[in-house]
């Protein structure tokens, strides 16, 4: 395969799916990951019209599954040029005293430990080749802490720190590392946060123009297509109507 190969976690929805679509149309070979196999199959069928696509079904929380899945890649997909660490979500929105321990476990296990497991499985080949690109999807929740955001914000502050740590450790191996920190993006994020309460989820994006997944996909594509000597370290992106995590100019 001539073109670069990108490995995208959380490709079944939202930012990851839009990134897969954007990359497919720009001839990247794709390894698309997620837990929902029907969605992976559907996406593969659609995007195969543009590029080479393979899928991996695994839960980022399960380290054995992560390593087994990545080791099982067909030979032509084994060289991974770009890793997009995107899988993640918020679970609940509660004060620290009312928060659910299961929600805390989910956020830390997926957003932090899951990102680490996938990175650990892929970074060694990049180091060996002296070449690679990692994009970590953080959040403005990794830059600010907002009321009731406690553990989600902690998980994204950890992503912010890991992004910096990866940059420092991998710099001498010619591996570029970038983080994108979006504000409100209209995806399934709030449906997951509010456990399927569609009305509550829709309300998060009502009364203003929220970012769309495609907006972030375009930025990710821009970041990974800079010339080899250019590395955008950290990029914060808000909808125009949003001034900070808590200041939103709704109609
Ligand atoms: P979505 O809920 O639309 O997508 C989340 C993706 O993560 C899905 O593809 C899901 O796939 C995958 N995922 C979740 N849990 C796991 C798991 N345990 N194992 C494997 N994959 C998993 O949300 P977004 O697209 O909005 O979120 C993408 C990233 O962007 C997240 O890291 C989120 O924190 C971040 N972000 C989102 C913002 C927003 O406002 N939407 C703003 C800032 C950052 P599946 O369920 O099939 O496994
Ligand atoms: C998602 C953005 O503000 O809902 O990371 O936490 S926010």
């Amino acid at each position: 395969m001539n073109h670069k190969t990108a490995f995208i976690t959380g490709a079944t929805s939202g930012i990851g799916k839009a990134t897969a679509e954007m990359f497919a149309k720009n001839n990247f070979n794709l390894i698309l990951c997620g837990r929902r196999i029907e969605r992976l199959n559907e996406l593969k069928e659609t995007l195969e019209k543009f590029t080479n696509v393979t899928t991996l079904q695994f839960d980022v929380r399960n380290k054995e599954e992560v390593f087994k899945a990545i080791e099982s890649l067909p030979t032509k997909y084994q060289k991974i040029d770009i890793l997009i660490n995107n899988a993640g979500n918020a679970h609940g929105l509660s004060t620290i005293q009312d928060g659910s321990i299961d929600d805390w476990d989910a956020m830390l296990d997926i957003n932090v430990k899951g990102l680490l497991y996938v990175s650990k499985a892929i970074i060694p080949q990049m180091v060996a080749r002296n070449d690679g690109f990692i994009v970590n999807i953080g959040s403005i929740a990794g830059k600010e802490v907002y009321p009731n955001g406690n553990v989600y914000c902690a998980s994204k502050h950890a992503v912010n720190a890991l992004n910096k740590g990866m940059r420092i450790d991998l710099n001498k191996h010619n591996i570029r590392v970038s983080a994108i920190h979006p504000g409100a993006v209209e995806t399934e994020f709030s449906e997951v946060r509010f456990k399927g309460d569609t009305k509550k989820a829709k309300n998060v994006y009502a009364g203003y123009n929220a970012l769309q997944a495609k907006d972030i996909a375009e930025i990710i594509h821009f970041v990974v297509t800079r010339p080899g000597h250019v590395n955008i370290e950290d990029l914060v992106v808000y909808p125009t109507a949003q001034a900070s995590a808590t200041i939103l100019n709704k109609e």
Side-chain angles (χ1 to χ4, degrees):
M1 293 194 297
N2 291 327
H3 297 285
K4 292 206 167 184
T5 298
F7 184 107
I8 305 175
T9 67
T12 54
S13 169
I15 295 168
K17 184 174 182 216
T19 305
E21 289 163 352
M22 175 78 46
F23 277 34
K25 287 170 191 158
N26 286 280
N27 299 116
F28 287 84
N29 306 306
L30 293 174
I31 303 162
L32 305 179
C33 312
R35 291 166 301 178
R36 286 170 287 182
I37 190 72
E38 315 77 41
R39 288 195 184 200
L40 286 174
N41 290 340
E42 236 172 74
L43 195 59
K44 180 176 188 302
E45 206 181 311
T46 309
L47 298 186
E48 264 175 347
K49 294 178 187 112
F50 303 96
T51 191
N52 299 301
V53 183
T54 193
T55 59
L56 291 179
Q57 182 196 25
F58 61 86
D59 186 325
V60 296
R61 286 174 290 194
N62 183 327
K63 54 178 177 268
E64 283 81 26
E65 265 185 34
V66 169
F67 281 87
K68 230 165 128 181
I70 294 171
E71 279 159 19
S72 78
L73 278 168
T75 317
K76 70 174 186 171
Y77 290 95
Q78 279 172 7
K79 175 176 173 280
I80 296 164
D81 300 291
I82 301 166
L83 163 61
I84 315 278
N85 274 323
N86 164 74
N89 269 131
H91 294 261
L93 184 68
S94 312
T95 59
I96 197 78
Q97 62 274 28
D98 290 333
S100 133
I101 289 181
D102 287 344
D103 284 346
W104 295 352
D105 281 342
M107 290 184 279
L108 295 171
D109 288 349
I110 297 167
N111 302 353
V112 185
K113 290 168 70 182
L115 179 148
L116 281 170
Y117 298 155
V118 173
S119 302
K120 178 78 174 162
I122 294 175
I123 286 172
Q125 59 157 282
M126 292 183 172
V127 169
R129 284 199 313 270
N130 221 34
D131 185 48
F133 208 133
I134 301 172
V135 180
N136 293 306
I137 306 303
S139 167
I140 52 161
K143 301 285 186 178
E144 298 174 46
V145 178
Y146 52 84
N148 304 318
N150 42 66
V151 177
Y152 178 66
C153 294
S155 76
K156 289 297 182 175
H157 274 65
V159 174
N160 192 33
L162 289 170
N163 187 67
K164 290 178 197 295
M166 285 182 189
R167 278 178 57 73
I168 293 164
D169 296 342
L170 300 176
N171 182 267
K172 61 174 172 293
H173 299 290
N174 192 40
I175 297 169
R176 287 186 278 176
V177 181
S178 302
I180 319 256
H181 301 282
V185 191
E186 192 170 359
T187 62
E188 292 174 20
F189 176 86
S190 293
E191 286 218 20
V192 175
R193 167 170 260 173
F194 297 122
K195 304 175 196 305
D197 185 335
T198 313
K199 203 169 153 211
K200 225 168 163 180
K202 276 207 160 76
N203 191 44
V204 173
Y205 310 108
Y208 69 104
N209 276 334
L211 291 168
Q212 300 300 310
K214 185 167 177 272
D215 298 319
I216 307 303
E218 283 173 354
I219 291 167
I220 296 170
H221 181 251
F222 177 82
V223 166
V224 303
T225 52
R226 291 314 83 212
H229 65 289
V230 179
N231 186 186
I232 296 170
E233 184 209 343
D234 201 62
L235 205 152
V236 178
V237 51
Y238 282 107
T240 302
Q242 190 176 18
S244 74
T246 49
I247 304 175
L248 190 55
N249 184 20
K250 285 203 181 196
E251 278 158 19

